[in-house]
Amino acid sequence: MSERAVHKGIAVCPGVAIGPIWVIDGGLTNPPRLRVGEARIEGEVERVFDAMESARSKLEEAKASLHETHGEIYGQLLDAQLLMYGDAMLRSGVESKIRDLRMAGEWAVRATIDELKAPLLSADSRYFRERAEDIELVGRQILRELGGGAIRLPPKDAEVIVVASVLSPADAAELRDSSVLGIATESGSATSHTAILARALGLPAVVAAHGIAHRAEAKRIAIVDAIRGEVVIEPDEAEREDAERRAERYRQYSLGLKARRDAPVVTLDGHPVEIYANVELSFEVDRVVKQRAHGVGLFRTEFLYLNRLKPPTEEEQLEVYRRTIERLEGRPITFRTFDLGADKMPRFERGIPKPSVSFGRTGLRYALSARRLFRTQLRALLRAATHGPMSVMFPAVAGVDDLRAALTELASVREELRHEGLPFGEPPIGCMIELPSAALRSHRLAEHADFFSVGTNDLVQHTLAVDRNDPFATGYASPLEPAVLDLLQMSVASASARGIPISICGDMASDPVALPLVLGLGFSQLSAPIAMLPMVQETVRRVALEDCKALARDAMAAASASAVRALVREAFGEALGELWAEHGAFD
Ligand code: PEP
Ligand code: MG
């Protein structure tokens, strides 16, 4: 058995953690190769067939729920997978492997699924590759049933490093009140939704660590170094001591920043900047107040939907929104309507074959294609607006037609509530700028919105054709790319010409290198993950707005992202070098 290994990845939530390894999904991709004795063969076949039946009936339930929420056509999307359960090759493949080769159920299922997929994967046709994906999903459903029906999350009190090949945002959200110390995954990028969840949990995390899940199986200890961006499996004694030292150093640095949370967030030349928090999970709200954030600039409501077999009802949502508003004690909050689809597919839609890229039915398009779901949320939000200062904004608006369609739906919901005599408020309605088309036409969108909020994670993804979930694309996904800066500048100009506020809530607002540029481009309202707030607040205190503006002017004239990066380093190395070092920014 090989021992020590170092895997490079991307640090997405700073800190260093050391602890026992817990591989979360190893059993799905690489179950243990156990054999069963003669006497257990019948029982083993029965166990697997029961698991298949249970997986099939859950899929039937999901189909019925989809049918109910979205209509027949969506229910039918699960039919290809449902048919697989009755497939003779699947059943006979598994059965013969158990009977003839004495393979244990999990191994037999994995081997059969891999056999069935192989010829489809080598085909050129996309249709066949999608069918291979269906077979894989069916296999995973059965394997999950065999392992107790769920991904193997650690017990709540286990202080472990979670390692996974793929950790979905929904599964990451399940770690919310666990004792997990750190996270390491093979998939993802700095702005993937799993990374966003790791930041929400405040856990040191490294994503895009190639090959790590397989390598970590049957190993004991790992270091997640989310400053250097690496994971060490089975570190030696000296490495462990060094990691302990670095973990302590980062803790002290964080405590130092937190101790300054009451200092005003004003630039050196006296310009105040409003720093808001991004919230994914409602338990985070108390930390917003503790860290002296101005309010919540982005509440990602889709996380209320992910881990559910049925969507939340209007009353349930109203209760969450109302409680959140009240816990903020008068600070404003912006709720984004659910931004579902792509990697954020709710459980009630799981099993629908996913497109290979995330440019399909997502964001506002998803909402407009699921009107009932959308109207239920709009009703809850409008009703919540009587409880305190709040706004609503729409994700991934592509253009004026999209925005108008959403506004029309909102007007009709308002009318409905009025008719029913239910009290509701009139929150400002914002438009997210996260598609290049929206930035390019922001002057027209501004005519229909009360405010803008820029989602740079998607803006970078769509401008530069870099899939947020693809580790390969990471090097290409720079918010410092002049094409992105042009779009930001346009959006700021459109907002200012129309006199509406504009904020930025993508991760560019918490990137210590990009921050001076964000300020220089004219953003004075930023929203960042709570774990990053102290650093963002401190960065503002250490720079002069005039210098930031000069930097932005130079950057707009630069030829490339690397040239912009060099400009930032030169202009702010002295003021921010210490903060950058703590975040491994120029390593
Ligand atoms: C963004 O795209 O920058 C954004 C804030 O939205 P999300 O990260 O949830 O897609
Ligand atoms: Mg987005």
Side-chain angles (χ1 to χ4, degrees):
M1 188 194 302
S2 67
E3 285 295 318
R4 179 180 170 280
V6 181
H7 292 251
K8 281 281 172 202
I10 305 162
V12 295
C13 183
V16 179
I18 309 149
I21 292 169
W22 183 281
V23 182
I24 215 169
D25 57 357
L28 296 180
T29 50
N30 190 15
R33 301 187 163 207
L34 304 176
R35 305 237 178 224
V36 285
E38 180 81 45
R40 278 188 45 218
I41 286 180
E42 277 319 313
E44 194 66 359
V45 172
E46 200 175 313
R47 187 172 75 91
V48 177
F49 283 180
D50 283 352
M52 282 183 178
E53 182 46 33
S54 165
R56 194 196 57 75
S57 77
K58 281 190 184 153
L59 201 60
E60 286 280 11
E61 271 173 41
K63 177 180 168 178
S65 155
L66 258 186
H67 187 133
E68 193 185 312
T69 50
H70 290 59
E72 193 174 352
I73 187 85
Y74 287 101
Q76 285 169 1
L77 285 169
L78 297 184
D79 283 347
Q81 283 177 55
L82 277 169
L83 278 174
M84 276 299 303
Y85 284 97
D87 185 88
M89 287 206 301
L90 174 63
R91 293 179 80 83
S92 64
V94 171
E95 187 171 358
S96 69
K97 284 183 183 53
I98 300 174
R99 287 194 193 285
D100 306 339
L101 304 175
R102 306 242 177 112
M103 287 160 76
E106 287 83 350
W107 186 14
V109 170
R110 175 39 70 195
T112 309
I113 291 294
D114 288 346
E115 268 172 27
L116 293 174
K117 270 168 52 185
L120 297 172
L121 282 174
S122 58
D124 278 342
S125 147
R126 183 169 158 198
Y127 176 80
F128 285 130
R129 288 198 303 276
E130 282 174 359
R131 296 292 73 79
E133 175 84 354
D134 284 337
I135 295 173
E136 175 63 27
L137 288 170
V138 164
R140 284 175 178 243
Q141 283 151 5
I142 300 168
L143 286 166
R144 283 189 176 164
E145 288 303 318
L146 287 169
I151 205 158
R152 218 169 55 97
L153 292 171
K156 291 284 177 209
D157 57 351
E159 297 189 352
V160 291
I161 304 285
V162 161
V163 177
S165 53
V166 179
L167 182 65
S168 71
D171 290 329
E174 289 288 294
L175 300 175
R176 65 186 166 277
D177 32 47
S178 71
S179 312
V180 166
L181 303 168
I183 296 176
T185 67
E186 289 184 5
S187 62
S189 73
T191 58
S192 61
H193 291 105
T194 304
I196 286 169
L197 254 288
R199 280 194 284 271
L201 298 166
L203 293 174
V206 170
V207 301
H210 181 67
I212 191 159
H214 186 66
R215 189 62 83 83
E217 272 182 52
K219 300 290 191 307
R220 291 174 309 118
I221 302 286
I223 297 170
V224 172
D225 187 329
I227 292 169
R228 290 182 179 154
E230 67 184 28
V231 185
V232 187
I233 309 275
E234 302 292 40
D236 59 33
E237 198 50 39
E239 277 171 317
R240 282 175 70 162
E241 278 169 19
D242 182 51
E244 301 276 8
R245 251 193 318 274
R246 292 160 51 67
E248 183 53 27
R249 187 192 145 96
Y250 187 78
R251 249 193 307 277
Q252 292 305 329
Y253 156 77
S254 303
L255 286 175
L257 286 191
K258 277 189 190 139
R260 289 174 48 68
R261 64 187 164 204
D262 286 320
V265 186
V266 176
T267 60
L268 286 176
D269 46 354
H271 296 274
V273 177
E274 292 176 2
I275 312 288
Y276 295 77
N278 292 351
V279 168
E280 288 72 42
L281 305 168
S282 45
F283 79 87
E284 292 182 273
V285 173
D286 294 334
R287 286 158 52 199
V288 173
V289 178
K290 236 184 240 160
Q291 194 45 50
R292 313 290 188 264
H294 211 82
V296 173
L298 167 65
F299 188 104
R300 290 180 161 102
T301 62
E302 58 273 17
F303 286 97
L304 298 173
Y305 294 71
L306 288 184
N307 278 322
R308 306 180 50 118
L309 287 173
K310 289 218 156 120
T313 63
E314 178 178 335
E315 295 302 324
E316 268 176 88
Q317 290 186 60
L318 177 58
E319 183 58 16
V320 173
Y321 303 149
R322 186 186 60 73
R323 256 190 296 126
T324 307
I325 292 167
E326 285 174 2
R327 275 155 69 194
L328 285 171
E329 300 166 359
R331 292 168 182 79
I333 176 166
T334 300
F335 291 102
R336 174 175 73 185
T337 57
F338 56 76
D339 185 10
L340 292 168
D343 63 328
K344 288 187 287 191
M345 198 54 91
R347 270 190 80 184
F348 53 85
E349 286 211 11
R350 281 229 182 135
I352 288 190
K354 257 200 283 172
S356 55
V357 287
S358 47
F359 305 156
R361 184 171 157 257
T362 60
L364 194 55
R365 281 180 209 157
Y366 183 106
L368 293 171
S369 75
R371 299 262 170 168
R372 217 175 315 159
L373 211 59
F374 192 33
R375 289 179 69 89
T376 302
Q377 181 175 44
L378 293 176
R379 285 175 61 98
L381 285 168
L382 289 182
R383 291 176 65 192
T386 58
H387 295 278
M390 62 164 268
S391 319
V392 171
M393 65 183 178
F394 301 123
V397 174
V400 169
D401 281 344
D402 267 5
L403 184 55
R404 276 218 194 104
L407 291 171
T408 304
E409 207 65 57
L410 191 72
S412 135
V413 164
R414 236 186 250 121
E415 209 33 60
E416 193 175 76
L417 290 171
R418 194 170 290 128
H419 187 72
E420 291 171 24
L422 287 169
F424 63 93
E426 293 283 358
I429 304 298
C431 168
M432 284 195 75
I433 304 288
E434 42 184 359
L435 301 182
S437 59
L440 289 165
R441 303 295 294 170
S442 51
H443 55 295
R444 300 308 300 266
L445 286 167
E447 294 165 10
H448 305 272
D450 297 321
F451 64 95
F452 280 162
S453 180
V454 182
T456 49
N457 304 336
D458 277 310
L459 193 62
V460 168
Q461 160 167 265
H462 296 290
T463 305
L464 303 174
V466 286
D467 183 342
R468 285 169 74 169
N469 296 309
D470 183 355
F472 168 80
T474 290
Y476 295 94
S478 174
L480 305 183
E481 194 61 55
V484 175
L485 302 183
D486 279 346
L487 295 174
L488 293 177
Q489 195 187 42
M490 269 178 205
S491 309
V492 170
S494 302
S496 135
R498 185 78 192 176
I500 61 172
I502 181 165
S503 63
I504 181 165
C505 63
D507 287 302
M508 185 177 184
S510 55
D511 174 338
V513 177
L515 262 169
L517 207 45
V518 166
L519 297 172
L521 284 167
F523 289 94
S524 57
Q525 295 182 336
L526 322 180
S527 194
I530 295 177
M532 308 302 274
L533 287 177
M535 180 276 290
V536 177
Q537 291 164 332
E538 189 61 18
T539 302
V540 170
R541 295 182 193 117
R542 292 191 188 188
V543 299
L545 186 59
E546 273 319 303
D547 296 339
C548 296
K549 285 187 177 162
L551 169 72
R553 275 193 298 276
D554 292 345
M556 298 306 296
S560 66
S562 54
V564 173
R565 201 171 157 78
L567 285 172
V568 180
R569 189 175 197 170
E570 193 185 309
F572 288 90
E574 207 167 303
L576 300 176
E578 188 197 333
L579 286 181
W580 288 342
E582 296 293 350
H583 291 267
F586 279 96
D587 288 354

